[in-house]
Amino acid sequence: MGNMIKVGMADFNICKAPDAITTLGLGSCVGIALYDANRKIAGLAHIMLPDSQAVKNNSNVAKFADTGIDACIDMMVKNGASRIGLVAKIAGGAQMFAFGSGNDMLRIGERNVIATKAKLKQLGIRILAEDTGNSYGRTIEFYPETGELLIKAVGKPPKKV
Amino acid sequence: MSDFDYSAMDSLQFDVLREIGNIGAGNATTALSQLLHSTKIDMKVPNVELLDFQDLADMIGGAENLIVGILLTLEGEIDGMMMFMMEKESAHHVINILMNRDLEDFESFTEMDLSALNEIGNIIAGAYLSSISTLTNMLITSSVPYMAIDMAGAILSVPAIEFGKVGDKALVIKTQIVEDDIEVSGYFVLIPTLESYSKIMASLGL
């Protein structure tokens, strides 16, 4: 077994098999696992917000769906991955609290997922699997050796996609 | 007024926020001890910290630790959120005391337990907010409480995202309450918007 590389909130990193990469306790944030299956290189981005253009302070590119995915792919390419043929698996984007309607904060998880999908589509990256929405937190682990994404949630059996 | 920059706060401003945490949690602690008919509930000296998003969940046992989070959104002259958090075991302790039950039951929450927890959150958050309202002489109203029981990282992502819109750190006014022989620890986190910070400071003449 390789090492487990941890990615925090508003952060990204990469790993190569046999190492694996994880992010803990995804709530309304979205975890995006990017994968070069030929070279067994994976990237994982943990984004918090949909759009870097919508806020003034956007210096931390890892925070946003649009810039975070780009930055993560750049890092993968620098480390030997190919930009062509990358695939993705995504998880998170939950609505942790059942806010009443009309509250913009309530839809942030959903908006993160929509922005993530739009960005991946724009880059021509296929989404092989997703486990998004609902109202619970998730811990995810990606294994570049097999291309599997393991999703753990409280009170539920772990799920492999 | 929205140009308040909390990464450039001076120690006086930190002290003010600490004092707000002190007064708010002091009231909330009194409310909780009345509710539980306990005189052993104590409050620790509050902390005001600027935390990286990655470190947020470490204050309550790490990203995967199971917690109960009760969130209220603030409206009126101060906008933002406040959150009261307890580790799951602490929440069980509180409920077991309240319901006069066996103190060893940590298995699961009934429907009744959940609504009691929600009400506890409501009462102590209300006590916290009303004291801040008095101190600053500003009107603060809050939403109904929203509750979630889940991993700390997932629950804290909600306030973190609010902070993420304006900066790369979260300002946390954290106060811990402890009941000595049964280890009830609760944490308050007050999350005003940037504009509200300016208003709080201005209301206190800073």
Side-chain angles (χ1 to χ4, degrees), chain A residues 8-9 11 24-28 48-49 55 57 59-60 63 96-100 105 108 136-139 152 154, chain B residues 53-54 63-64 66 69 71 73 81 83 146-148 150-151 153-154 157-158 160-162 164-168:
Chain A
M9 200 181 282
D11 195 11
L24 311 178
L26 276 170
S28 297
M48 300 171 73
L49 288 162
V55 302
N57 183 341
S59 53
N60 179 6
K63 225 160 51 175
M96 297 307 299
F97 294 92
F99 292 111
M105 285 183 280
I108 191 70
Y136 51 85
R138 298 166 173 91
T139 283
K152 296 190 266 188
V154 175
Chain B
F53 297 133
Q54 281 98 319
E64 289 192 294
L66 266 190
L71 181 89
T73 58
M81 293 177 177
M83 195 184 247
Y146 305 104
M147 187 170 61
D150 211 310
M151 292 185 261
S157 75
V158 176
I161 284 169
E162 285 308 299
K165 291 176 184 169
V166 289
D168 290 315

mmCIF file of all heavy atoms in Angstrom, chain A residues 8-9 11 24-28 48-49 55 57 59-60 63 96-100 105 108 136-139 152 154, chain B residues 53-54 63-64 66 69 71 73 81 83 146-148 150-151 153-154 157-158 160-162 164-168:
data_model
loop_
_atom_site.group_PDB
_atom_site.id
_atom_site.type_symbol
_atom_site.label_atom_id
_atom_site.label_comp_id
_atom_site.label_asym_id
_atom_site.label_seq_id
_atom_site.Cartn_x
_atom_site.Cartn_y
_atom_site.Cartn_z
ATOM 1 N N GLY A 8 -6.917 19.452 1.960
ATOM 2 C CA GLY A 8 -7.803 20.206 2.853
ATOM 3 C C GLY A 8 -8.860 20.981 2.088
ATOM 4 O O GLY A 8 -8.932 20.939 0.859
ATOM 5 N N MET A 9 -9.666 21.712 2.851
ATOM 6 C CA MET A 9 -10.700 22.554 2.254
ATOM 7 C C MET A 9 -10.020 23.685 1.474
ATOM 8 O O MET A 9 -9.052 24.265 1.942
ATOM 9 C CB MET A 9 -11.540 23.138 3.398
ATOM 10 C CG MET A 9 -12.907 23.641 3.005
ATOM 11 S SD MET A 9 -13.772 24.340 4.445
ATOM 12 C CE MET A 9 -14.337 22.882 5.300
ATOM 13 N N ASP A 11 -8.254 23.516 -1.362
ATOM 14 C CA ASP A 11 -6.893 23.065 -1.633
ATOM 15 C C ASP A 11 -6.964 22.016 -2.752
ATOM 16 O O ASP A 11 -8.039 21.530 -3.097
ATOM 17 C CB ASP A 11 -6.320 22.446 -0.346
ATOM 18 C CG ASP A 11 -4.807 22.273 -0.404
ATOM 19 O OD1 ASP A 11 -4.164 22.811 -1.342
ATOM 20 O OD2 ASP A 11 -4.270 21.591 0.474
ATOM 21 N N LEU A 24 -11.354 14.914 3.604
ATOM 22 C CA LEU A 24 -12.234 14.493 4.695
ATOM 23 C C LEU A 24 -13.383 15.459 4.901
ATOM 24 O O LEU A 24 -13.211 16.668 4.849
ATOM 25 C CB LEU A 24 -11.444 14.414 6.017
ATOM 26 C CG LEU A 24 -10.126 13.655 6.008
ATOM 27 C CD1 LEU A 24 -9.468 13.729 7.378
ATOM 28 C CD2 LEU A 24 -10.350 12.215 5.609
ATOM 29 N N GLY A 25 -14.548 14.915 5.171
ATOM 30 C CA GLY A 25 -15.680 15.740 5.587
ATOM 31 C C GLY A 25 -16.104 16.776 4.572
ATOM 32 O O GLY A 25 -16.229 17.942 4.885
ATOM 33 N N LEU A 26 -16.362 16.346 3.344
ATOM 34 C CA LEU A 26 -16.929 17.261 2.339
ATOM 35 C C LEU A 26 -18.367 17.557 2.723
ATOM 36 O O LEU A 26 -19.155 16.643 2.949
ATOM 37 C CB LEU A 26 -16.965 16.577 0.973
ATOM 38 C CG LEU A 26 -15.761 16.556 0.056
ATOM 39 C CD1 LEU A 26 -16.051 15.589 -1.093
ATOM 40 C CD2 LEU A 26 -15.463 17.933 -0.492
ATOM 41 N N GLY A 27 -18.725 18.820 2.782
ATOM 42 C CA GLY A 27 -20.118 19.181 3.034
ATOM 43 C C GLY A 27 -20.716 19.751 1.768
ATOM 44 O O GLY A 27 -20.953 19.035 0.792
ATOM 45 N N SER A 28 -20.899 21.069 1.773
ATOM 46 C CA SER A 28 -21.412 21.732 0.574
ATOM 47 C C SER A 28 -20.318 21.943 -0.466
ATOM 48 O O SER A 28 -20.592 22.337 -1.593
ATOM 49 C CB SER A 28 -22.027 23.085 0.939
ATOM 50 O OG SER A 28 -23.121 22.888 1.782
ATOM 51 N N MET A 48 -14.806 25.276 -2.803
ATOM 52 C CA MET A 48 -15.838 25.769 -1.886
ATOM 53 C C MET A 48 -16.910 26.602 -2.574
ATOM 54 O O MET A 48 -18.023 26.712 -2.091
ATOM 55 C CB MET A 48 -15.216 26.701 -0.845
ATOM 56 C CG MET A 48 -14.152 26.092 0.006
ATOM 57 S SD MET A 48 -13.370 27.398 0.986
ATOM 58 C CE MET A 48 -14.666 27.719 2.155
ATOM 59 N N LEU A 49 -16.517 27.282 -3.647
ATOM 60 C CA LEU A 49 -17.412 28.250 -4.274
ATOM 61 C C LEU A 49 -17.444 28.042 -5.782
ATOM 62 O O LEU A 49 -16.463 27.599 -6.374
ATOM 63 C CB LEU A 49 -16.933 29.678 -3.970
ATOM 64 C CG LEU A 49 -17.140 30.167 -2.536
ATOM 65 C CD1 LEU A 49 -16.263 31.362 -2.232
ATOM 66 C CD2 LEU A 49 -18.599 30.523 -2.303
ATOM 67 N N VAL A 55 -16.664 36.986 -6.728
ATOM 68 C CA VAL A 55 -16.203 37.579 -5.473
ATOM 69 C C VAL A 55 -14.954 38.421 -5.719
ATOM 70 O O VAL A 55 -14.224 38.211 -6.686
ATOM 71 C CB VAL A 55 -15.905 36.515 -4.389
ATOM 72 C CG1 VAL A 55 -17.127 35.672 -4.112
ATOM 73 C CG2 VAL A 55 -14.743 35.656 -4.774
ATOM 74 N N ASN A 57 -12.244 38.942 -3.583
ATOM 75 C CA ASN A 57 -10.979 38.339 -3.185
ATOM 76 C C ASN A 57 -10.866 36.934 -3.786
ATOM 77 O O ASN A 57 -11.344 35.966 -3.233
ATOM 78 C CB ASN A 57 -10.918 38.268 -1.658
ATOM 79 C CG ASN A 57 -9.598 37.720 -1.170
ATOM 80 O OD1 ASN A 57 -8.855 37.065 -1.915
ATOM 81 N ND2 ASN A 57 -9.290 37.951 0.079
ATOM 82 N N SER A 59 -7.819 35.518 -4.946
ATOM 83 C CA SER A 59 -6.400 35.193 -5.142
ATOM 84 C C SER A 59 -6.114 33.708 -4.925
ATOM 85 O O SER A 59 -5.206 33.159 -5.521
ATOM 86 C CB SER A 59 -5.532 36.041 -4.212
ATOM 87 O OG SER A 59 -5.987 35.893 -2.887
ATOM 88 N N ASN A 60 -6.898 33.060 -4.072
ATOM 89 C CA ASN A 60 -6.681 31.633 -3.833
ATOM 90 C C ASN A 60 -7.469 30.813 -4.851
ATOM 91 O O ASN A 60 -8.646 30.544 -4.687
ATOM 92 C CB ASN A 60 -7.119 31.294 -2.401
ATOM 93 C CG ASN A 60 -6.951 29.810 -2.086
ATOM 94 O OD1 ASN A 60 -6.407 29.057 -2.890
ATOM 95 N ND2 ASN A 60 -7.421 29.405 -0.923
ATOM 96 N N LYS A 63 -9.954 27.723 -4.292
ATOM 97 C CA LYS A 63 -11.254 27.880 -3.643
ATOM 98 C C LYS A 63 -12.430 27.706 -4.609
ATOM 99 O O LYS A 63 -13.528 27.390 -4.194
ATOM 100 C CB LYS A 63 -11.306 29.302 -3.065
ATOM 101 C CG LYS A 63 -11.825 29.390 -1.687
ATOM 102 C CD LYS A 63 -11.429 30.665 -0.956
ATOM 103 C CE LYS A 63 -11.683 31.954 -1.672
ATOM 104 N NZ LYS A 63 -11.376 33.115 -0.805
ATOM 105 N N MET A 96 -26.258 20.912 3.816
ATOM 106 C CA MET A 96 -26.104 20.400 5.180
ATOM 107 C C MET A 96 -27.258 20.790 6.090
ATOM 108 O O MET A 96 -27.593 20.085 7.020
ATOM 109 C CB MET A 96 -24.786 20.882 5.779
ATOM 110 C CG MET A 96 -23.544 20.389 5.065
ATOM 111 S SD MET A 96 -23.504 18.592 4.874
ATOM 112 C CE MET A 96 -23.526 18.063 6.585
ATOM 113 N N PHE A 97 -27.831 21.964 5.879
ATOM 114 C CA PHE A 97 -28.930 22.408 6.726
ATOM 115 C C PHE A 97 -30.149 22.674 5.856
ATOM 116 O O PHE A 97 -30.024 23.212 4.762
ATOM 117 C CB PHE A 97 -28.540 23.698 7.471
ATOM 118 C CG PHE A 97 -27.439 23.490 8.462
ATOM 119 C CD1 PHE A 97 -26.119 23.687 8.096
ATOM 120 C CD2 PHE A 97 -27.715 23.094 9.761
ATOM 121 C CE1 PHE A 97 -25.086 23.491 9.004
ATOM 122 C CE2 PHE A 97 -26.693 22.895 10.677
ATOM 123 C CZ PHE A 97 -25.384 23.100 10.304
ATOM 124 N N ALA A 98 -31.317 22.306 6.362
ATOM 125 C CA ALA A 98 -32.536 22.467 5.582
ATOM 126 C C ALA A 98 -33.080 23.876 5.711
ATOM 127 O O ALA A 98 -34.064 24.125 6.379
ATOM 128 C CB ALA A 98 -33.577 21.456 6.042
ATOM 129 N N PHE A 99 -32.390 24.828 5.093
ATOM 130 C CA PHE A 99 -32.827 26.221 5.151
ATOM 131 C C PHE A 99 -34.189 26.389 4.493
ATOM 132 O O PHE A 99 -34.548 25.631 3.605
ATOM 133 C CB PHE A 99 -31.863 27.147 4.396
ATOM 134 C CG PHE A 99 -30.526 27.277 5.023
ATOM 135 C CD1 PHE A 99 -29.417 26.746 4.408
ATOM 136 C CD2 PHE A 99 -30.369 27.947 6.229
ATOM 137 C CE1 PHE A 99 -28.168 26.873 4.980
ATOM 138 C CE2 PHE A 99 -29.129 28.076 6.788
ATOM 139 C CZ PHE A 99 -28.017 27.545 6.173
ATOM 140 N N GLY A 100 -34.901 27.423 4.910
ATOM 141 C CA GLY A 100 -36.148 27.756 4.233
ATOM 142 C C GLY A 100 -35.873 28.259 2.830
ATOM 143 O O GLY A 100 -34.731 28.511 2.462
ATOM 144 N N MET A 105 -27.942 31.065 0.656
ATOM 145 C CA MET A 105 -26.938 30.182 1.238
ATOM 146 C C MET A 105 -27.315 28.716 1.063
ATOM 147 O O MET A 105 -26.477 27.848 1.070
ATOM 148 C CB MET A 105 -26.781 30.493 2.728
ATOM 149 C CG MET A 105 -26.025 31.770 2.990
ATOM 150 S SD MET A 105 -25.773 32.072 4.747
ATOM 151 C CE MET A 105 -27.329 32.722 5.259
ATOM 152 N N ILE A 108 -25.901 26.630 -2.097
ATOM 153 C CA ILE A 108 -24.490 26.708 -2.465
ATOM 154 C C ILE A 108 -23.926 25.358 -2.908
ATOM 155 O O ILE A 108 -23.150 25.298 -3.861
ATOM 156 C CB ILE A 108 -23.643 27.339 -1.312
ATOM 157 C CG1 ILE A 108 -22.241 27.660 -1.787
ATOM 158 C CG2 ILE A 108 -23.602 26.459 -0.082
ATOM 159 C CD1 ILE A 108 -22.179 28.807 -2.754
ATOM 160 N N TYR A 136 -25.935 15.019 3.503
ATOM 161 C CA TYR A 136 -24.936 14.468 4.425
ATOM 162 C C TYR A 136 -23.508 14.706 3.940
ATOM 163 O O TYR A 136 -23.259 14.879 2.753
ATOM 164 C CB TYR A 136 -25.158 12.961 4.635
ATOM 165 C CG TYR A 136 -25.292 12.157 3.373
ATOM 166 C CD1 TYR A 136 -24.163 11.689 2.697
ATOM 167 C CD2 TYR A 136 -26.550 11.887 2.846
ATOM 168 C CE1 TYR A 136 -24.288 10.954 1.533
ATOM 169 C CE2 TYR A 136 -26.680 11.152 1.673
ATOM 170 C CZ TYR A 136 -25.550 10.684 1.025
ATOM 171 O OH TYR A 136 -25.679 9.967 -0.142
ATOM 172 N N GLY A 137 -22.587 14.691 4.894
ATOM 173 C CA GLY A 137 -21.178 14.884 4.587
ATOM 174 C C GLY A 137 -20.547 13.611 4.034
ATOM 175 O O GLY A 137 -21.056 12.515 4.241
ATOM 176 N N ARG A 138 -19.449 13.802 3.326
ATOM 177 C CA ARG A 138 -18.778 12.655 2.713
ATOM 178 C C ARG A 138 -17.269 12.782 2.873
ATOM 179 O O ARG A 138 -16.716 13.871 2.737
ATOM 180 C CB ARG A 138 -19.066 12.593 1.213
ATOM 181 C CG ARG A 138 -20.526 12.419 0.819
ATOM 182 C CD ARG A 138 -20.690 12.730 -0.654
ATOM 183 N NE ARG A 138 -22.022 12.434 -1.173
ATOM 184 C CZ ARG A 138 -23.018 13.323 -1.197
ATOM 185 N NH1 ARG A 138 -22.834 14.538 -0.702
ATOM 186 N NH2 ARG A 138 -24.184 13.001 -1.708
ATOM 187 N N THR A 139 -16.629 11.640 3.128
ATOM 188 C CA THR A 139 -15.176 11.555 3.020
ATOM 189 C C THR A 139 -14.880 10.745 1.771
ATOM 190 O O THR A 139 -15.501 9.707 1.553
ATOM 191 C CB THR A 139 -14.585 10.878 4.272
ATOM 192 O OG1 THR A 139 -14.567 11.820 5.336
ATOM 193 C CG2 THR A 139 -13.169 10.392 4.027
ATOM 194 N N LYS A 152 -17.321 7.624 1.779
ATOM 195 C CA LYS A 152 -17.797 7.210 3.099
ATOM 196 C C LYS A 152 -18.693 8.299 3.675
ATOM 197 O O LYS A 152 -18.360 9.479 3.605
ATOM 198 C CB LYS A 152 -16.609 6.982 4.039
ATOM 199 C CG LYS A 152 -15.712 5.845 3.595
ATOM 200 C CD LYS A 152 -14.696 5.483 4.659
ATOM 201 C CE LYS A 152 -13.382 6.211 4.442
ATOM 202 N NZ LYS A 152 -12.301 5.752 5.327
ATOM 203 N N VAL A 154 -21.571 9.117 7.128
ATOM 204 C CA VAL A 154 -21.957 8.652 8.456
ATOM 205 C C VAL A 154 -23.202 7.770 8.367
ATOM 206 O O VAL A 154 -24.195 8.141 7.751
ATOM 207 C CB VAL A 154 -22.237 9.852 9.375
ATOM 208 C CG1 VAL A 154 -22.760 9.384 10.722
ATOM 209 C CG2 VAL A 154 -20.979 10.676 9.541
ATOM 210 N N PHE B 53 -9.024 27.638 6.507
ATOM 211 C CA PHE B 53 -10.160 26.731 6.328
ATOM 212 C C PHE B 53 -9.786 25.300 6.708
ATOM 213 O O PHE B 53 -10.576 24.576 7.287
ATOM 214 C CB PHE B 53 -10.648 26.766 4.882
ATOM 215 C CG PHE B 53 -11.176 28.118 4.477
ATOM 216 C CD1 PHE B 53 -10.790 28.701 3.284
ATOM 217 C CD2 PHE B 53 -12.056 28.800 5.294
ATOM 218 C CE1 PHE B 53 -11.276 29.939 2.914
ATOM 219 C CE2 PHE B 53 -12.547 30.041 4.929
ATOM 220 C CZ PHE B 53 -12.150 30.619 3.737
ATOM 221 N N GLN B 54 -8.551 24.920 6.376
ATOM 222 C CA GLN B 54 -8.118 23.552 6.649
ATOM 223 C C GLN B 54 -8.124 23.228 8.135
ATOM 224 O O GLN B 54 -8.275 22.087 8.529
ATOM 225 C CB GLN B 54 -6.697 23.304 6.133
ATOM 226 C CG GLN B 54 -6.599 23.048 4.656
ATOM 227 C CD GLN B 54 -6.219 24.314 3.909
ATOM 228 O OE1 GLN B 54 -6.706 25.381 4.225
ATOM 229 N NE2 GLN B 54 -5.340 24.186 2.936
ATOM 230 N N ALA B 63 -11.910 16.750 11.073
ATOM 231 C CA ALA B 63 -12.942 16.828 10.028
ATOM 232 C C ALA B 63 -13.949 15.686 10.080
ATOM 233 O O ALA B 63 -15.095 15.842 9.690
ATOM 234 C CB ALA B 63 -12.285 16.868 8.648
ATOM 235 N N GLU B 64 -13.532 14.520 10.585
ATOM 236 C CA GLU B 64 -14.446 13.373 10.547
ATOM 237 C C GLU B 64 -15.146 13.126 11.875
ATOM 238 O O GLU B 64 -15.924 12.185 12.009
ATOM 239 C CB GLU B 64 -13.685 12.118 10.114
ATOM 240 C CG GLU B 64 -13.302 12.146 8.656
ATOM 241 C CD GLU B 64 -12.824 10.796 8.164
ATOM 242 O OE1 GLU B 64 -11.756 10.362 8.643
ATOM 243 O OE2 GLU B 64 -13.494 10.189 7.322
ATOM 244 N N LEU B 66 -17.809 13.235 14.722
ATOM 245 C CA LEU B 66 -19.267 13.408 14.659
ATOM 246 C C LEU B 66 -19.729 14.499 15.604
ATOM 247 O O LEU B 66 -19.479 14.431 16.802
ATOM 248 C CB LEU B 66 -19.951 12.106 15.064
ATOM 249 C CG LEU B 66 -20.336 11.148 13.951
ATOM 250 C CD1 LEU B 66 -21.205 10.041 14.509
ATOM 251 C CD2 LEU B 66 -21.060 11.879 12.834
ATOM 252 N N GLY B 69 -24.513 20.157 15.003
ATOM 253 C CA GLY B 69 -24.375 21.576 14.696
ATOM 254 C C GLY B 69 -25.752 22.215 14.599
ATOM 255 O O GLY B 69 -26.637 21.662 13.954
ATOM 256 N N LEU B 71 -27.451 25.758 13.569
ATOM 257 C CA LEU B 71 -27.108 26.971 12.845
ATOM 258 C C LEU B 71 -28.298 27.923 12.811
ATOM 259 O O LEU B 71 -29.426 27.507 12.581
ATOM 260 C CB LEU B 71 -26.721 26.595 11.419
ATOM 261 C CG LEU B 71 -26.310 27.736 10.499
ATOM 262 C CD1 LEU B 71 -24.820 27.971 10.628
ATOM 263 C CD2 LEU B 71 -26.649 27.416 9.060
ATOM 264 N N THR B 73 -29.326 31.776 11.131
ATOM 265 C CA THR B 73 -28.888 32.913 10.335
ATOM 266 C C THR B 73 -29.349 34.187 11.037
ATOM 267 O O THR B 73 -30.408 34.219 11.667
ATOM 268 C CB THR B 73 -29.437 32.862 8.898
ATOM 269 O OG1 THR B 73 -30.857 32.817 8.950
ATOM 270 C CG2 THR B 73 -28.942 31.622 8.182
ATOM 271 N N MET B 81 -24.124 34.487 10.503
ATOM 272 C CA MET B 81 -24.592 33.211 11.036
ATOM 273 C C MET B 81 -24.044 33.036 12.434
ATOM 274 O O MET B 81 -23.008 33.597 12.771
ATOM 275 C CB MET B 81 -23.994 32.041 10.249
ATOM 276 C CG MET B 81 -24.422 31.876 8.843
ATOM 277 S SD MET B 81 -23.484 30.473 8.181
ATOM 278 C CE MET B 81 -24.195 30.407 6.560
ATOM 279 N N MET B 83 -23.320 29.584 15.076
ATOM 280 C CA MET B 83 -23.434 28.149 15.160
ATOM 281 C C MET B 83 -23.083 27.692 16.559
ATOM 282 O O MET B 83 -22.149 28.211 17.165
ATOM 283 C CB MET B 83 -22.493 27.502 14.145
ATOM 284 C CG MET B 83 -22.799 26.054 13.898
ATOM 285 S SD MET B 83 -21.579 25.369 12.810
ATOM 286 C CE MET B 83 -22.545 25.062 11.403
ATOM 287 N N TYR B 146 -31.504 25.558 12.561
ATOM 288 C CA TYR B 146 -31.376 24.424 11.652
ATOM 289 C C TYR B 146 -30.345 23.476 12.244
ATOM 290 O O TYR B 146 -29.284 23.918 12.672
ATOM 291 C CB TYR B 146 -30.890 24.880 10.279
ATOM 292 C CG TYR B 146 -31.754 25.953 9.652
ATOM 293 C CD1 TYR B 146 -31.343 27.276 9.633
ATOM 294 C CD2 TYR B 146 -32.989 25.632 9.087
ATOM 295 C CE1 TYR B 146 -32.128 28.257 9.056
ATOM 296 C CE2 TYR B 146 -33.779 26.599 8.513
ATOM 297 C CZ TYR B 146 -33.351 27.911 8.499
ATOM 298 O OH TYR B 146 -34.127 28.881 7.932
ATOM 299 N N MET B 147 -30.659 22.200 12.272
ATOM 300 C CA MET B 147 -29.740 21.270 12.925
ATOM 301 C C MET B 147 -29.228 20.216 11.966
ATOM 302 O O MET B 147 -29.954 19.767 11.080
ATOM 303 C CB MET B 147 -30.447 20.592 14.088
ATOM 304 C CG MET B 147 -29.512 19.739 14.919
ATOM 305 S SD MET B 147 -30.283 19.183 16.443
ATOM 306 C CE MET B 147 -31.611 18.249 15.787
ATOM 307 N N ALA B 148 -27.979 19.826 12.160
ATOM 308 C CA ALA B 148 -27.416 18.719 11.389
ATOM 309 C C ALA B 148 -26.508 17.908 12.298
ATOM 310 O O ALA B 148 -25.836 18.459 13.167
ATOM 311 C CB ALA B 148 -26.628 19.246 10.191
ATOM 312 N N ASP B 150 -23.486 15.385 11.799
ATOM 313 C CA ASP B 150 -22.649 14.851 10.719
ATOM 314 C C ASP B 150 -21.173 15.102 11.049
ATOM 315 O O ASP B 150 -20.842 15.526 12.162
ATOM 316 C CB ASP B 150 -23.028 15.531 9.389
ATOM 317 C CG ASP B 150 -22.822 14.614 8.187
ATOM 318 O OD1 ASP B 150 -21.731 14.042 8.069
ATOM 319 O OD2 ASP B 150 -23.753 14.485 7.372
ATOM 320 N N MET B 151 -20.318 14.865 10.078
ATOM 321 C CA MET B 151 -18.892 15.099 10.263
ATOM 322 C C MET B 151 -18.629 16.595 10.438
ATOM 323 O O MET B 151 -19.232 17.430 9.749
ATOM 324 C CB MET B 151 -18.124 14.598 9.045
ATOM 325 C CG MET B 151 -18.153 13.099 8.892
ATOM 326 S SD MET B 151 -17.098 12.574 7.525
ATOM 327 C CE MET B 151 -18.309 12.364 6.229
ATOM 328 N N GLY B 153 -16.221 18.490 9.538
ATOM 329 C CA GLY B 153 -15.773 19.176 8.320
ATOM 330 C C GLY B 153 -16.940 19.563 7.439
ATOM 331 O O GLY B 153 -17.005 20.663 6.895
ATOM 332 N N ALA B 154 -17.897 18.640 7.322
ATOM 333 C CA ALA B 154 -19.056 18.884 6.462
ATOM 334 C C ALA B 154 -19.931 19.989 7.045
ATOM 335 O O ALA B 154 -20.402 20.873 6.322
ATOM 336 C CB ALA B 154 -19.851 17.588 6.290
ATOM 337 N N SER B 157 -18.315 23.355 6.733
ATOM 338 C CA SER B 157 -18.158 23.872 5.369
ATOM 339 C C SER B 157 -19.156 24.997 5.125
ATOM 340 O O SER B 157 -18.890 25.894 4.329
ATOM 341 C CB SER B 157 -18.346 22.759 4.333
ATOM 342 O OG SER B 157 -19.710 22.410 4.178
ATOM 343 N N VAL B 158 -20.275 24.962 5.838
ATOM 344 C CA VAL B 158 -21.313 25.976 5.595
ATOM 345 C C VAL B 158 -20.839 27.376 6.014
ATOM 346 O O VAL B 158 -20.831 28.294 5.190
ATOM 347 C CB VAL B 158 -22.642 25.563 6.273
ATOM 348 C CG1 VAL B 158 -23.686 26.644 6.105
ATOM 349 C CG2 VAL B 158 -23.141 24.249 5.676
ATOM 350 N N ALA B 160 -17.717 28.140 6.536
ATOM 351 C CA ALA B 160 -16.460 28.367 5.815
ATOM 352 C C ALA B 160 -16.723 28.974 4.448
ATOM 353 O O ALA B 160 -16.003 29.871 3.998
ATOM 354 C CB ALA B 160 -15.678 27.055 5.682
ATOM 355 N N ILE B 161 -17.751 28.489 3.784
ATOM 356 C CA ILE B 161 -18.086 29.008 2.456
ATOM 357 C C ILE B 161 -18.470 30.487 2.552
ATOM 358 O O ILE B 161 -18.085 31.294 1.705
ATOM 359 C CB ILE B 161 -19.203 28.155 1.820
ATOM 360 C CG1 ILE B 161 -18.619 26.832 1.331
ATOM 361 C CG2 ILE B 161 -19.874 28.906 0.663
ATOM 362 C CD1 ILE B 161 -19.637 25.792 0.930
ATOM 363 N N GLU B 162 -19.203 30.835 3.616
ATOM 364 C CA GLU B 162 -19.561 32.246 3.792
ATOM 365 C C GLU B 162 -18.306 33.107 3.923
ATOM 366 O O GLU B 162 -18.204 34.175 3.348
ATOM 367 C CB GLU B 162 -20.466 32.426 5.014
ATOM 368 C CG GLU B 162 -21.895 31.975 4.784
ATOM 369 C CD GLU B 162 -22.510 32.602 3.535
ATOM 370 O OE1 GLU B 162 -22.614 33.832 3.491
ATOM 371 O OE2 GLU B 162 -22.871 31.850 2.611
ATOM 372 N N GLY B 164 -15.416 32.260 2.779
ATOM 373 C CA GLY B 164 -14.677 32.113 1.535
ATOM 374 C C GLY B 164 -15.037 33.173 0.508
ATOM 375 O O GLY B 164 -14.238 33.491 -0.363
ATOM 376 N N LYS B 165 -16.248 33.714 0.631
ATOM 377 C CA LYS B 165 -16.666 34.743 -0.315
ATOM 378 C C LYS B 165 -15.875 36.029 -0.152
ATOM 379 O O LYS B 165 -15.818 36.846 -1.064
ATOM 380 C CB LYS B 165 -18.157 35.050 -0.129
ATOM 381 C CG LYS B 165 -19.060 33.913 -0.556
ATOM 382 C CD LYS B 165 -20.513 34.237 -0.268
ATOM 383 C CE LYS B 165 -21.394 33.046 -0.616
ATOM 384 N NZ LYS B 165 -22.761 33.224 -0.103
ATOM 385 N N VAL B 166 -15.296 36.233 1.021
ATOM 386 C CA VAL B 166 -14.601 37.498 1.244
ATOM 387 C C VAL B 166 -13.131 37.342 1.601
ATOM 388 O O VAL B 166 -12.388 38.321 1.614
ATOM 389 C CB VAL B 166 -15.292 38.334 2.353
ATOM 390 C CG1 VAL B 166 -16.625 38.863 1.850
ATOM 391 C CG2 VAL B 166 -15.478 37.532 3.618
ATOM 392 N N GLY B 167 -12.683 36.148 1.913
ATOM 393 C CA GLY B 167 -11.283 36.030 2.291
ATOM 394 C C GLY B 167 -10.838 34.583 2.333
ATOM 395 O O GLY B 167 -11.552 33.684 1.894
ATOM 396 N N ASP B 168 -9.643 34.371 2.865
ATOM 397 C CA ASP B 168 -9.083 33.039 2.914
ATOM 398 C C ASP B 168 -8.953 32.499 4.327
ATOM 399 O O ASP B 168 -8.333 31.474 4.550
ATOM 400 C CB ASP B 168 -7.718 33.022 2.218
ATOM 401 C CG ASP B 168 -7.883 33.186 0.721
ATOM 402 O OD1 ASP B 168 -8.765 32.514 0.161
ATOM 403 O OD2 ASP B 168 -7.171 34.015 0.125
#
